[in-house]
């Protein structure tokens, strides 16, 4: 099973991707997590990505494309994966199509976790208090939502046209949302 999790920042897609990947026993690839860990470890990738992340901008495509190419070529990706936070724009989606074609693979489902904007800001500010992410302050949050709406939202149509889009209501109980994702991919 190969899946993409789409949805605005704060929709809970990372949480759901984590739970579902464990249930299905496939890897969870979060480009955001990989970048945050690179920053923490002060690697070259981290140094290049930090200023973009701190402003709520997307990091340059070539950086995340390299991360994804590298991760998907590892042996534990053979049985499937969930991509969480990639692709983030149409260019990345097209590169992903090329990578998949070269591996004779395809994505089974693109899960769109949907949450209204006003609820997202509340959730993200709460996460800022709990986790202390440097990109969870109000100015940066607003920019991340703007970047999402401009760059990432078009992917919903992109995957709808490929007939693999599943819309999931991301408001409510975590377990219920997990169950609705699981039942929709089993249909
Ligand atoms: P996330 O944890 O998915 O919300 O990502 C946190 C930040 O990492 C984003 O605001 C971007 O700056 C960066 N990032 C994560 N994934 C990507 C991607 N696919 N393309 C560009 N930037 C990304």
């Amino acid at each position: 099973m190969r899946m993409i999790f789409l949805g605005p920042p704060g929709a809970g897609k990372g949480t759901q991707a984590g739970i579902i990947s464990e249930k299905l026993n496939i890897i969870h690839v979060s480009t955001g997590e990989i970048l945050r860990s690179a920053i923490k470890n002060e690697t070259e990738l981290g140094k290049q990505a930090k200023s973009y992340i701190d402003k709520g901008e997307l990091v340059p495509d070539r950086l995340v494309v390299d991360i994804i190419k590298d991760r998907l070529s590892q042996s534990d990706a053979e049985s499937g994966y969930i991509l969480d936070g990639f692709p983030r724009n149409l260019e990345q989606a097209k590169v992903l199509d090329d990578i998949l074609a070269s591996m004779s693979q395809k994505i089974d489902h693109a899960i769109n976790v949907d949450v209204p904007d006003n609820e997202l800001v509340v959730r993200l500010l709460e996460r800022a208090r709990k986790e202390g992410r440097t990109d969870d302050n109000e100015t940066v949050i607003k920019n991340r939502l703007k970047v999402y709406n401009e760059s990432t939202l078009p992917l919903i149509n992109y995957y709808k046209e490929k007939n693999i889009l599943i819309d999931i209501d991301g408001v409510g109980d975590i377990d219920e949302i997990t169950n609705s994702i699981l039942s929709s991919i089993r249909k």
Side-chain angles (χ1 to χ4, degrees):
M1 174 79 73
R2 287 179 283 271
M3 289 195 272
I4 294 170
F5 274 46
L6 297 169
K13 63 182 185 329
T15 304
Q16 291 298 336
I19 298 170
I20 305 273
S21 65
E22 273 188 26
K23 287 195 190 283
L24 300 181
N25 203 17
I26 52 179
I27 58 165
H28 171 200
V29 182
S30 159
T31 42
E33 280 298 329
I34 293 169
L35 291 166
R36 279 188 289 283
S37 130
I39 291 173
K40 210 165 131 204
N41 296 322
E42 297 180 355
T43 65
E44 193 47 44
L45 171 66
K47 279 177 204 154
Q48 291 188 49
K50 186 172 183 344
S51 62
Y52 298 96
I53 293 194
D54 285 349
K55 282 187 275 198
E57 298 291 331
L58 295 183
V59 308
D61 289 346
R62 61 182 168 80
L63 295 182
V64 280
V65 164
D66 283 350
I67 293 175
I68 289 293
K69 275 191 182 154
D70 180 57
R71 192 64 193 89
L72 298 191
S73 65
Q74 290 171 33
S75 60
D76 60 354
E78 274 166 26
S79 48
Y81 45 79
I82 293 181
L83 300 184
D84 161 16
F86 183 95
R88 259 322 210 274
N89 59 30
L90 277 172
E91 291 72 26
Q92 292 180 14
K94 286 180 182 150
V95 175
L96 178 62
D97 285 346
D98 293 342
I99 298 173
L100 290 165
S102 73
M103 298 170 99
S104 306
Q105 293 181 349
K106 64 175 187 52
I107 296 292
D108 300 293
H109 307 288
I111 309 287
N112 175 35
V113 185
D114 196 28
V115 173
D117 266 17
N118 52 353
E119 165 91 13
L120 293 172
V121 178
V122 175
R123 286 190 191 189
L124 288 164
L125 287 171
E126 195 178 332
R127 185 165 84 189
R129 276 194 294 276
K130 283 193 191 144
E131 295 177 16
R133 266 175 59 165
T134 53
D135 59 349
D136 271 346
N137 67 67
E138 194 156 359
T139 318
V140 176
I141 286 171
K142 293 215 166 112
N143 196 37
R144 285 163 62 207
L145 290 174
K146 180 171 165 269
V147 168
Y148 172 80
N149 285 321
E150 286 171 4
S151 302
T152 313
L153 207 56
L155 295 184
I156 292 179
N157 261 332
Y158 187 76
Y159 290 111
K160 198 182 268 175
E161 279 166 14
K162 288 183 185 282
N163 282 320
I164 57 168
L165 187 80
I166 297 175
D167 280 308
I168 295 288
D169 181 358
V171 181
D173 187 68
I174 291 185
D175 289 344
E176 278 172 26
I177 298 167
T178 304
N179 287 336
S180 84
I181 297 173
L182 286 173
S183 64
S184 68
I185 62 179
R186 285 183 182 133
K187 269 181 200 148

